[in-house]
Amino acid sequence: AGLGGIGLDTSRELVKRDLKNLVILDRIDNPAAIAELKAINPKVTVTFYPYDVTTPLAETTKLLKTIFAQLKTVDVLINGAGILDDHQIERTIAVNFTGLVNTTTAILDFWDKRKGGPGGVICNIGSVTGFNAIYQVPVYSASKAAVVSFTQSIAKLANITGVTAFTVNPGITKTTLVHKFNSWLDVEPRVAEKLDEHPTQTTLSCAQNFVKAIELNQNGAIWKLDLGTLEPIQW
């Protein structure tokens, strides 16, 4: 999900760097955003593929085959799709957690050193709710806790697979995600308004720290990106 909220600002920051390719997988095509990313740095080849993270594992593997055939090497996978709506329990878990597990599992086919692969880096987007729940949205918070836990395991398996992993966990960020959303069983009808009363950060300052975390590339790191700062969490 490189074209919405934090994702688009992170993509903008990434193409300013010395990248060869940026491949964006998103459910919704946004040609204007793709054109803008291409214009920021013409040296970076930006490509877009339509993709929904809730597709089955086999479909994901098929798409990755196409991408690897095109690019030959892929160094970093960023898993960033997310929804916030505790009325949609199954979809929340499917998008925020199952999808991320599937893309990680699928790319291991190409990266796993046990299969002669070159290894790689996985950057998963969690949330501060992964270690400090917004209890009015327990499904969302738990899906993010699952991301943090899953990623810690992947990081510890790096000596077997050659694939390292870390999480970036944004705090409350001014995105459409938090404008209005449903709490679980409507335990707090004003959850969005209440959240809005807390200090927030812009998607730009979040994106800048996000790219810093990618550049630091620390296996097993749990980065907290809150109020314009980047700090490691001990967990």
Side-chain angles (χ1 to χ4, degrees):
L3 298 178
I6 295 169
L8 181 54
D9 266 338
T10 303
S11 296
R12 287 182 180 119
E13 291 301 309
L14 284 169
V15 291
K16 291 176 189 170
R17 304 305 202 274
D18 185 23
L19 294 188
K20 198 171 167 194
N21 294 289
L22 177 65
V23 180
I24 292 174
L25 310 180
D26 208 324
R27 214 162 50 96
I28 295 155
D29 190 2
N30 182 341
I34 298 289
E36 184 205 332
L37 293 172
K38 286 179 175 173
I40 291 171
N41 184 355
K43 285 184 190 159
V44 182
T45 307
V46 180
T47 31
F48 171 80
Y49 292 89
Y51 176 64
D52 184 325
V53 293
T54 63
T55 55
L57 183 60
E59 287 298 307
T60 305
T61 307
K62 216 157 88 180
L63 176 58
L64 287 175
K65 265 195 185 125
T66 306
I67 293 166
F68 274 83
Q70 192 76 44
L71 300 183
K72 306 295 180 265
T73 58
V74 174
D75 302 312
V76 184
L77 168 68
I78 301 171
N79 282 310
I83 62 164
L84 173 50
D85 181 353
D86 262 31
H87 284 184
Q88 296 190 61
I89 293 171
E90 288 185 9
R91 184 156 176 80
T92 294
I93 295 163
V95 172
N96 295 1
F97 184 55
T98 313
L100 171 147
V101 173
N102 282 348
T103 51
T104 301
T105 305
I107 209 162
L108 263 287
D109 248 5
F110 304 86
W111 274 354
D112 195 331
K113 71 179 188 188
R114 294 171 301 168
K115 295 181 172 185
V121 178
I122 292 174
C123 168
N124 288 333
I125 304 184
S127 157
V128 293
T129 62
F131 35 85
N132 187 5
I134 297 174
Y135 60 86
Q136 300 94 331
V137 282
V139 183
Y140 174 81
S141 300
S143 71
K144 292 300 188 174
V147 168
V148 176
S149 173
F150 176 72
T151 310
Q152 289 305 99
S153 296
I154 301 303
K156 289 184 174 125
L157 292 168
N159 58 338
I160 295 169
T161 62
V163 175
T164 60
F166 58 91
T167 54
V168 294
N169 299 280
I172 305 165
T173 308
K174 287 192 185 91
T175 69
T176 51
L177 201 69
V178 294
H179 284 177
K180 188 180 181 331
F181 57 92
N182 297 307
S183 64
W184 178 71
L185 300 178
D186 296 319
V187 287
E188 177 47 81
R190 290 187 60 252
V191 64
E193 290 91 324
K194 284 198 164 173
L195 208 58
D196 216 27
E197 289 160 13
H198 291 265
T200 57
Q201 63 184 354
T202 62
T203 54
L204 176 61
S205 68
C206 183
Q208 286 166 338
N209 283 319
F210 191 154
V211 174
K212 263 185 216 162
I214 293 170
E215 288 172 335
L216 288 165
N217 190 19
Q218 284 185 19
N219 187 38
I222 301 172
W223 294 107
K224 180 180 171 187
L225 283 64
D226 200 12
L227 302 177
T229 63
L230 175 71
E231 55 172 303
I233 291 284
Q234 298 309 314
W235 189 61

